[in-house]
Amino acid sequence: MAQLNLADTNLTSIAVGDLFVCTAISPNQLWENKSSLASLTITGDLIVDTSTLNVDSANNRVGIGTSSPTSQLDVESASDTPLFTLTNKSDTERDPSIRFRVGATPVTRFTIGVDDSDGNKFKISTTDLGTSDRIVIDSNGIVGIGASPSTTSGNKFSIYAGAANLNIQMGSSGVSGITG
């Protein structure tokens, strides 16, 4: 078991390869190397590798890739790799998505994401994906507004507004197929 002997109570930082855990810092306190940690409370800022992860406790902000987060979650990258990735690694149907909620008792106003149960279509919905879809794009680039796009109609872009339909087909003959 690795141990670290602290003879100074004015500890401000520690850089070690293993995790050292202690319930209190006092002169000559021994910290034990633990393989797991049930909980950790940090008072003040948390900085990991300068700008890999930065928690600004004074402003309640988290920065990933930045040492100066400007919003509650600030993700920055100087490379051309994706800044943010949502991945569904489950064999069951799950929808990688982002929900936008507002109010004192938060209510979902919009959800964007991929509906795994509907052919992996990208959707913007006013509740959960697949229940109140407003814009749907399938893997062929066919877009539906107000309803899921129809692959059998041959239209690349469809708008549905209640009893009236407006289908716009772009092709060599221009705009056609307006009904309603």
Side-chain angles (χ1 to χ4, degrees):
M1 172 175 16
Q3 293 185 338
L4 175 65
N5 186 358
L6 299 176
D8 182 5
T9 59
N10 192 16
L11 179 66
T12 57
S13 65
I14 186 169
V16 293
D18 294 316
L19 175 64
F20 288 87
V21 180
C22 177
T23 56
I25 297 176
S26 61
N28 300 315
Q29 174 72 48
L30 291 178
W31 288 23
E32 289 186 16
N33 183 352
K34 299 288 185 181
S35 60
S36 65
L37 180 64
S39 66
L40 176 66
T41 302
I42 297 174
T43 303
D45 292 352
L46 171 66
I47 300 169
V48 177
D49 194 26
T50 309
S51 65
T52 299
L53 176 66
N54 186 302
V55 178
D56 177 352
S57 63
N59 296 301
N60 293 322
R61 296 176 179 165
V62 175
I64 300 174
T66 177
S67 59
S68 303
T70 58
S71 59
Q72 281 189 309
L73 176 60
D74 188 349
V75 181
E76 295 182 14
S77 175
S79 69
D80 59 357
T81 58
L83 288 178
F84 188 71
T85 302
L86 293 175
T87 303
N88 172 16
K89 291 186 77 172
S90 173
D91 288 336
T92 59
E93 293 180 350
R94 306 255 194 249
D95 300 334
S97 58
I98 299 173
R99 289 187 179 172
F100 298 88
R101 302 177 62 188
V102 296
T105 306
V107 175
T108 300
R109 297 297 181 194
F110 283 96
T111 302
I112 62 172
V114 176
D115 190 346
D116 191 32
S117 64
D118 188 17
N120 294 316
K121 293 176 182 165
F122 178 79
K123 297 182 176 184
I124 300 175
S125 304
T126 52
T127 56
D128 291 329
L129 298 177
T131 56
S132 298
D133 301 333
R134 301 301 180 226
I135 299 175
V136 179
I137 305 172
D138 73 9
S139 61
N140 296 313
I142 299 174
V143 178
I145 297 179
S148 190
S150 171
T151 56
T152 59
S153 68
N155 299 320
K156 287 294 244 178
F157 181 70
S158 299
I159 300 173
Y160 179 76
N165 288 314
L166 173 64
N167 296 313
I168 301 172
Q169 179 178 347
M170 303 300 248
S172 60
S173 62
V175 178
S176 65
I178 298 175
T179 60

